[in-house]
Amino acid sequence: MLPRGRPRALGAAALLLLLLLLGFLLFGGDLGCERREPGGRAGAPGCFPGPLMPRVPPDGRLRRAAALDGDPGAGPGDHNRSDCGPQPPPPPKCEPQVSWIPNKHYSGLYGLMKLVLPSALPAELARVIVLDTDVTFASDISELWALFAHFSDTQAIGLVENQSDWYLGNLWKNHRPWPALGRGFNTGVILLRLDRLRQAGWEQMWRLTARRELLSLPATSLADQDIFNAVIKEHPGLVQRLPCVWNVQLSDHTLAERCYSEASDLKVIHWNSPKKLRVKNKHVEFFRNFYLTFLEYDGNLLRRELFVCPSQPPPGAEQALAQLDEEDPCFEFRQQQLTVHRVHVTFLPHEPPPPRPHDVTLVAQLSMDRLQMLEALCRHWPGPMSLALYLTDAEAQQFLHFVEASPVLAARQDVAYHVVYREGPLYPVNQLRNVALAQALTPYVFLSDIDFLPAYSLYDYLRASIEQLGLGSRRKAALVVPAFETLRYRFSFPHSKVELLALLDAGTLYTFRYHEWPRGHAPTDYARWREAQAPYRVQWAANYEPYVVVPRDCPRYDPRFVGFGWNKVAHIVELDAQEYELLVLPEAFTIHLPHAPSLDISRFRSSPTYRDCLQALKDEFHQDLSRHHGAAALKYLPALQQPQSPARG
């Protein structure tokens, strides 16, 4: 009775990773299919040689899946069908090693990449676990690593037997699979002794086997799995049979239910049908719910010593946290500043912009309650964007579905989304800005907020202005984009400065925060802007917080400012202290749209303690400013001592 009992401790549950192949090939790795300089040593059983930093694919829709081995469809023509989109090309040095192999499997060239791991990975790396991206863990992954201890002196490959009749050749008439030992083996979960494979001449071994079989077979049907099985048929001493619970295969023709009787028996669930979560299986509802439940799981819990080898916090972080006084009224602020968030850069597929000398990336941050702004922002800004999103694990999945359901967002490959996973009571606004800023790839950045819509022409205008003003090495400047706001949820967005001024005169638009915090943007000098035909310089003033365009290597935001208050102001102070000119652009504008106040704004307005803590942060900021800039920092002291009105929005 499968539903009896509960799966054991989640441990590394449902990480859905191809541990090495995806990590090195797809998501930030440097793999070149040639042995690199020794970079580390293999770990002992029960401990991974390095940290796990997977990119988690969504609900089995594996657009960038590598080696998604599995039982093809019900007929000989079905195994090429897939919901997956076109596969991106693998690294050029790897491609020639496998591109000569005809492959019918939907994973394309990536489905063959596991064959080159012994030559591709560092020579001193002796053991690896290789996982397909369509697996869900129901146990601690270190238990799988411990199975290396059961290998004999000659065994080099640990595999679970294939749980269908595919390699027996009796699924349909004229079905002719590749040769295999008995039922063959499934390569969705592999333990590899790389050192032994290298000693055995693995590269020559699999190449000779593949070339010989391709003389009589037109192509591989199950990608690398066919070639692994053909080699094992010739060299059975290489394989160590793993217990079947480490690869419970949910293909259409699976016999996997012979492998388990209770949920507690399960170790790894393998969605190895092209149908993924839609596969037909006697217990698929249980398996599907198990997987979907994990998507709602708070991933921060997985950081707290559920692994055998927990990651170490940054130097000094533990000591600083231990010194915090929970009775301190500002404890939440102190704790939030020291929190090290999980960050998943480039959460969705992203195409870097081509290099252009004056290109500009829009940089912003948002949370779940601002997702509705994304489509409009994409329509207003045709250039690259780098956006940091503050989300829970469950919200990250909702965001994924939101993008997939939007033709506007799905079409924009030049928007990079970076998920910072939520932890702590206060919004880490400047940490989010720094994440987005660090991932911008163009020479210049427009530092905006998500609830602003830029002028339709702003992207082109900014690039032209940067070139005309000679910014960069010749001139150190921050270009000010004047900010306006509307209190109406529906209004006709102006296409030009002339139209904007007409709306301003009609009372449909206002200068930003005119009613609540005019000093925040007063130095922009809107009266002068109305008549301006050329950029003009303005001076820094207390509490000035304009939206600016600056070089990508500009000063970062001060992460101590969390929640609401002084987060942008402190950044402008730093720019001024580093002698950036403030140049207002005469044809640029951006407009703030109305929205409900955030929780942090509400707390700022209602809590004197909150405002006292913010003042303490400002005092500390000025102390650091004085250390860095000396007597020049005295200029900012009056501004830091000004109390902020609780009415401020």
Side-chain angles (χ1 to χ4, degrees):
M1 295 291 293
L2 179 66
R4 280 177 46 209
R6 295 180 59 188
R8 281 175 281 207
L10 285 173
L15 282 178
L16 299 179
L17 56 97
L18 176 57
L19 180 58
L20 287 164
L21 200 52
L22 280 178
F24 281 91
L25 288 178
L26 299 180
F27 309 122
D30 181 6
L31 189 62
C33 281
E34 56 188 24
R35 292 185 181 178
R36 306 195 306 196
E37 292 299 315
R41 62 180 182 84
C47 183
F48 283 103
L52 299 180
M53 293 296 290
R55 173 169 177 161
V56 182
D59 293 346
R61 290 188 284 278
L62 304 168
R63 293 186 182 81
R64 296 195 172 220
L68 301 181
D69 304 329
D71 191 342
D78 286 347
H79 49 251
N80 286 327
R81 284 194 262 163
S82 169
D83 292 335
C84 302
Q87 300 297 320
K93 292 182 181 179
C94 295
E95 186 178 36
Q97 297 202 31
V98 294
S99 59
W100 57 273
I101 303 172
N103 179 27
K104 295 180 181 179
H105 195 255
Y106 59 83
S107 57
L109 281 176
Y110 282 125
L112 298 162
M113 285 297 178
K114 280 179 270 186
L115 296 167
V116 306
L117 284 178
S119 60
L121 295 176
E124 298 235 338
L125 189 59
R127 290 176 291 187
V128 295
I129 293 174
V130 186
L131 304 173
D132 283 3
T133 57
D134 53 355
V135 301
T136 303
F137 266 78
S139 63
D140 193 326
I141 197 171
S142 66
E143 296 176 27
L144 178 59
W145 183 266
L147 296 181
F148 275 118
H150 299 288
F151 280 42
S152 71
D153 292 340
T154 60
Q155 290 172 337
I157 307 172
L159 293 166
V160 170
E161 188 178 59
N162 200 48
Q163 293 166 2
S164 79
D165 290 339
W166 174 264
Y167 285 108
L168 299 181
N170 58 10
L171 291 184
W172 57 77
K173 187 178 180 181
N174 299 325
H175 174 214
R176 190 184 171 201
W178 277 54
L181 191 66
R183 290 189 176 278
F185 296 89
N186 183 279
T187 56
V189 177
I190 317 177
L191 301 187
L192 286 183
R193 284 295 304 256
L194 298 174
D195 51 350
R196 294 178 181 175
L197 289 174
R198 292 167 185 143
Q199 293 168 7
W202 169 254
E203 186 171 351
Q204 183 181 19
M205 189 184 300
W206 74 258
R207 284 176 176 272
L208 289 175
T209 300
R211 291 189 187 279
R212 185 185 64 244
E213 296 302 328
L214 286 170
L215 294 175
S216 57
L217 291 164
T220 61
S221 294
L222 299 182
D224 70 275
Q225 182 169 299
D226 285 339
I227 298 175
F228 268 97
N229 274 289
V231 172
I232 290 169
K233 178 73 180 287
E234 280 191 70
H235 306 277
L238 287 175
V239 70
Q240 161 71 20
R241 293 175 182 265
L242 303 181
C244 64
V245 291
W246 285 106
N247 188 350
V248 176
Q249 301 150 38
L250 301 185
S251 58
D252 286 333
H253 304 288
T254 184
L255 304 172
E257 62 185 83
R258 301 176 182 177
C259 186
Y260 57 83
S261 59
E262 295 185 3
S264 59
D265 296 331
L266 300 170
K267 299 289 189 180
V268 176
I269 303 163
H270 186 186
W271 303 86
N272 65 317
S273 165
K275 300 175 183 176
K276 304 306 173 194
L277 297 186
R278 299 189 302 275
V279 69
K280 294 181 180 179
N281 178 278
K282 183 177 180 180
H283 300 125
V284 70
E285 193 64 27
F286 172 82
F287 294 128
R288 188 185 295 121
N289 287 337
F290 181 88
Y291 168 70
L292 295 176
T293 297
F294 183 78
L295 295 185
E296 304 293 321
Y297 201 73
D298 181 358
N300 292 316
L301 298 179
L302 296 178
R303 307 172 74 191
R304 293 180 172 86
E305 299 187 18
L306 293 179
F307 298 101
V308 177
C309 306
S311 59
Q312 296 299 315
E318 279 190 283
Q319 183 179 1
L321 281 168
Q323 292 175 348
L324 293 182
D325 179 7
E326 293 192 25
E327 301 301 320
D328 181 356
C330 301
F331 173 76
E332 285 186 346
F333 285 82
R334 309 295 184 194
Q335 184 184 46
Q336 191 74 62
Q337 294 166 26
L338 295 171
T339 299
V340 179
H341 294 271
R342 289 181 297 134
V343 178
H344 187 158
V345 298
T346 320
F347 184 73
L348 297 177
H350 172 244
E351 294 295 334
R356 298 189 185 101
H358 308 107
D359 207 1
V360 184
T361 295
L362 188 149
V363 170
Q365 43 71 38
L366 66 150
S367 53
M368 196 69 179
D369 60 345
R370 297 291 191 270
L371 283 189
Q372 72 277 5
M373 291 296 302
L374 291 178
E375 286 191 350
L377 184 59
C378 283
R379 293 188 179 99
H380 279 250
W381 182 269
M385 288 188 270
S386 180
L387 306 176
L389 298 93
Y390 194 49
L391 306 173
T392 65
D393 293 76
E395 287 173 341
Q397 294 301 315
Q398 295 171 30
F399 165 68
L400 181 68
H401 299 317
F402 181 83
V403 173
E404 289 179 334
S406 167
V408 174
L409 301 183
R412 289 293 297 271
Q413 296 295 301
D414 57 351
V415 179
Y417 301 102
H418 317 292
V419 174
V420 178
Y421 287 96
R422 195 166 74 196
E423 184 171 9
L426 297 171
Y427 190 75
V429 56
N430 278 357
Q431 294 181 43
L432 295 172
R433 287 177 171 138
N434 286 340
V435 167
L437 180 54
Q439 298 304 318
L441 301 175
T442 56
Y444 297 90
V445 289
F446 173 33
L447 304 178
S448 184
D449 276 337
I450 197 64
D451 36 18
F452 279 83
L453 290 182
Y456 287 108
S457 59
L458 186 61
Y459 174 60
D460 292 332
Y461 176 64
L462 290 179
R463 291 185 297 160
S465 298
I466 290 167
E467 182 175 12
Q468 292 168 6
L469 292 168
L471 300 191
S473 58
R474 289 184 291 164
R475 193 171 189 182
K476 192 176 181 181
L479 305 182
V480 175
V481 177
F484 298 84
E485 70 176 339
T486 178
L487 304 181
R488 302 182 181 184
Y489 284 90
R490 292 186 179 184
F491 83 111
S492 179
F493 198 94
H495 287 76
S496 65
K497 180 177 179 178
V498 172
E499 291 185 14
L500 181 138
L501 291 175
L503 293 173
L504 195 65
D505 292 337
T508 303
L509 288 181
Y510 303 92
T511 56
F512 186 53
R513 290 294 183 255
Y514 170 77
H515 298 90
E516 297 171 321
W517 188 246
R519 69 182 72 176
H521 292 263
T524 298
D525 195 348
Y526 288 97
R528 183 177 178 183
W529 182 82
R530 291 181 70 105
E531 308 299 331
Q533 300 295 317
Y536 58 92
R537 186 170 181 175
V538 296
Q539 298 299 317
W540 174 87
N543 296 300
Y544 193 29
E545 50 180 357
Y547 294 95
V548 295
V549 177
V550 287
R552 180 180 59 190
D553 61 356
C554 69
R556 287 334 190 220
Y557 288 88
D558 192 314
R560 86 185 78 208
F561 291 103
V562 296
F564 180 79
W566 247 69
N567 44 74
K568 290 196 301 295
V569 173
H571 189 243
I572 298 301
V573 166
E574 185 63 44
L575 290 178
D576 186 68
Q578 295 193 24
E579 299 182 334
Y580 278 73
E581 288 184 84
L582 294 171
L583 296 175
V584 180
L585 296 176
E587 299 295 328
F589 61 86
T590 186
I591 299 177
H592 179 267
L593 300 186
H595 58 76
S598 68
L599 176 61
D600 285 311
I601 292 178
S602 300
R603 293 181 66 185
F604 172 85
R605 290 171 172 169
S606 63
S607 170
T609 301
Y610 193 105
R611 297 193 292 277
D612 290 343
C613 292
L614 178 58
Q615 184 62 49
L617 297 181
K618 291 164 63 177
D619 294 341
E620 293 169 9
F621 171 75
H622 187 259
Q623 293 171 13
D624 290 341
L625 203 66
S626 299
R627 279 192 285 270
H628 291 133
H629 300 288
L634 292 173
K635 167 184 177 181
Y636 309 105
L637 189 57
L640 289 151
Q641 293 175 341
Q642 289 181 11
Q644 296 198 74
S645 167
R648 184 189 167 189

